[in-house]
Amino acid sequence: MAAPARRLCHIAFHVPEGQPLARDLHRLFGFQPVAVREAGGWRQLALRSGDAVFLVNEGAGPREPLYGLDPHHSVSSAANLCFDVDDAGAAARALAARGCRVPVPPVRVRDAQGAASYAVVSSPAGNLSLTLLERAGYRGPFLPGFRPVPSEPGPGWVSHVDHLTLACTPGSSPALTRWFHDCLGFQHLPLSPGEDPELGLRVVAGSGRGGLRLTALQAGPDNAVPTLVLAESLPGTTSRQDQVEQFLARHQGPGLQHVGLYTPNIIAAAQGMVVAGGRLLTPPEAYYQQPGKEKQILAAGHKPSLLARQGILLDGDKEKFLLQVFTKSLFAEDTFFLELIQRQGATGFGQDNIRALWQSVQEEAARTQET
């Protein structure tokens, strides 16, 4: 591997001036401002919830924003993943030697709290770039060049980033898997026994209705890097676009579709976000009416009516369960969204939820047409 990732530092967004993303992350989803930088036509605000950090780059300056790259993308998006590495300069040289494009060569930034070095590499996943950051010993609240922002303690709904999901074009997952393996040291994480890393996990929604191919990747042991999930559509006969196809069309190419945020109490987090004005997706009633779903929810120690009212999905069996709920898109283009996830012993990503949701949406649409 050329530049093994050690830790996810932050996820950066690029939005035009006046876009309400930073305000919404704070007011609706419990992220607290920690540091800001205003220079060169950019306003860069870092917000934190637990160990999850989002950097909102707002504006469009003549130079690149600090610690990132302006992708000049036509729609707002989550455009950059920043990873801690041992040596940013060596990592950039190693990736360049592998043929990777390094649009921002190594830069060193210093302030009164210390120094950091970084470089930005283009990824093969649409407009997504990767920042390789070396910041050992930095003592400030975020990174050199930012000033701290006083804020009150947050609600604590989110503790860390659980996973990152890329929406990919059909057939691109094997090449992306190899790139993340060779360049950043990610390894295939089987989601089912005996899974072929070239094929991933096929989540088939039903006869002729397509489905998804999921390929999970994880960094090496002892690294604080979230799981990376590649999602691409399977061919089907239905004329309805699935979630990945919709993202590709509205985002105008592949990219970071959603971030899974871990919460120790999904019921409290979902309720708090709704009270604050956050919009969560509500699954069709058919999801909760599946045979055995009520029994499954009770076995996990939850009330079916409460989960249904909050739109929380539950997957798993025996003593291992996974709870999920999704926000509506954070952008007008209906692209990027957030996922809240709570694990009760489960390690997957709700494969049965994907299948069941797909089928229940189709059944609900059919009933609507009949009436």
Side-chain angles (χ1 to χ4, degrees):
M1 71 192 77
R6 300 302 183 195
R7 182 182 181 86
L8 177 68
C9 174
H10 63 260
I11 300 163
F13 298 81
H14 282 70
V15 300
E17 186 176 359
Q19 209 275 356
L21 176 63
R23 181 201 66 191
D24 291 347
L25 288 171
H26 174 47
R27 295 182 181 177
L28 309 181
F29 303 112
F31 281 73
Q32 300 301 303
V34 294
V36 68
R37 175 181 179 268
E38 295 176 295
W42 293 98
R43 183 176 190 271
Q44 299 178 267
L45 179 66
L47 304 102
R48 178 188 299 273
S49 182
D51 288 334
V53 180
F54 289 159
L55 175 63
V56 179
N57 296 321
E58 182 179 339
R63 297 183 179 180
E64 305 295 356
L66 204 59
Y67 303 104
L69 171 71
D70 182 5
H72 304 290
H73 199 58
S74 56
V75 298
S76 299
S77 64
N80 178 274
L81 301 177
C82 179
F83 293 107
D84 284 330
V85 296
D86 291 334
D87 186 327
R93 290 190 295 272
L95 289 172
R98 285 185 173 271
C100 297
R101 194 167 71 90
V102 185
V104 180
V107 178
R108 188 162 181 82
V109 186
R110 177 181 293 277
D111 64 16
Q113 303 301 317
S117 298
Y118 74 94
V120 184
V121 180
S122 296
S123 88
N127 71 319
L128 185 69
S129 63
L130 306 175
T131 295
L132 309 176
L133 175 70
E134 178 188 346
R135 56 170 177 175
Y138 182 70
R139 301 178 300 277
F142 181 54
L143 290 172
F146 285 72
R147 59 180 173 81
V149 175
S151 62
E152 299 294 327
W157 293 330
V158 169
S159 62
H160 62 276
V161 175
D162 180 89
H163 63 276
L164 307 159
T165 296
L166 296 178
C168 309
T169 54
S172 65
S173 293
L176 286 172
T177 296
R178 288 190 292 273
W179 191 89
F180 280 101
H181 172 269
D182 295 343
C183 295
L184 295 178
F186 280 82
Q187 304 290 330
H188 175 239
L189 173 64
L191 296 176
S192 63
E195 177 185 318
D196 187 331
E198 287 286 319
L199 300 177
L201 175 68
R202 289 169 55 92
V203 182
V204 180
S207 178
R209 285 188 263 181
L212 295 178
R213 183 194 312 278
L214 302 177
T215 306
L217 308 173
Q218 64 179 359
D222 302 323
N223 292 333
V225 177
T227 300
L228 182 65
V229 181
L230 310 179
E232 64 175 68
S233 299
L234 295 174
T237 59
T238 178
S239 60
R240 294 171 58 90
Q241 286 185 325
D242 62 46
Q243 58 178 290
V244 173
E245 291 169 332
Q246 288 177 355
F247 178 92
L248 295 176
R250 295 166 180 169
H251 183 258
Q252 301 180 25
L256 188 61
Q257 182 212 36
H258 75 267
V259 172
L261 299 170
Y262 190 85
T263 174
N265 188 332
I266 196 168
I267 293 175
Q271 183 176 13
M273 290 180 181
V274 169
V275 170
R279 300 184 304 155
L280 305 182
L281 287 177
T282 302
E285 291 183 8
Y287 171 83
Y288 299 98
Q289 295 170 355
Q290 300 171 82
K293 178 57 68 175
E294 180 176 348
K295 182 179 179 180
Q296 184 186 40
I297 293 174
L298 290 171
H302 298 283
K303 295 181 180 180
S305 59
L306 180 58
L307 296 195
R309 185 163 62 250
Q310 295 189 331
I312 297 172
L313 312 177
L314 185 139
D315 193 4
D317 56 19
K318 297 181 180 178
E319 297 181 355
K320 295 183 178 180
F321 298 96
L322 176 77
L323 295 97
Q324 302 163 285
V325 67
F326 303 91
T327 73
K328 293 188 177 182
S329 176
L330 276 60
F331 299 131
E333 293 83 4
D334 196 18
T335 51
F336 177 86
F337 59 92
L338 301 174
E339 172 187 350
L340 292 178
I341 184 168
Q342 179 182 345
R343 298 182 182 277
Q344 295 180 197
T347 57
F349 294 94
Q351 299 91 291
D352 287 342
N353 275 343
I354 296 172
R355 183 181 297 107
L357 263 180
W358 201 302
Q359 293 172 342
S360 60
V361 168
Q362 295 288 342
E363 292 166 4
E364 186 111 326
R367 282 197 297 272
T368 302
Q369 291 175 356
E370 289 172 359
T371 57

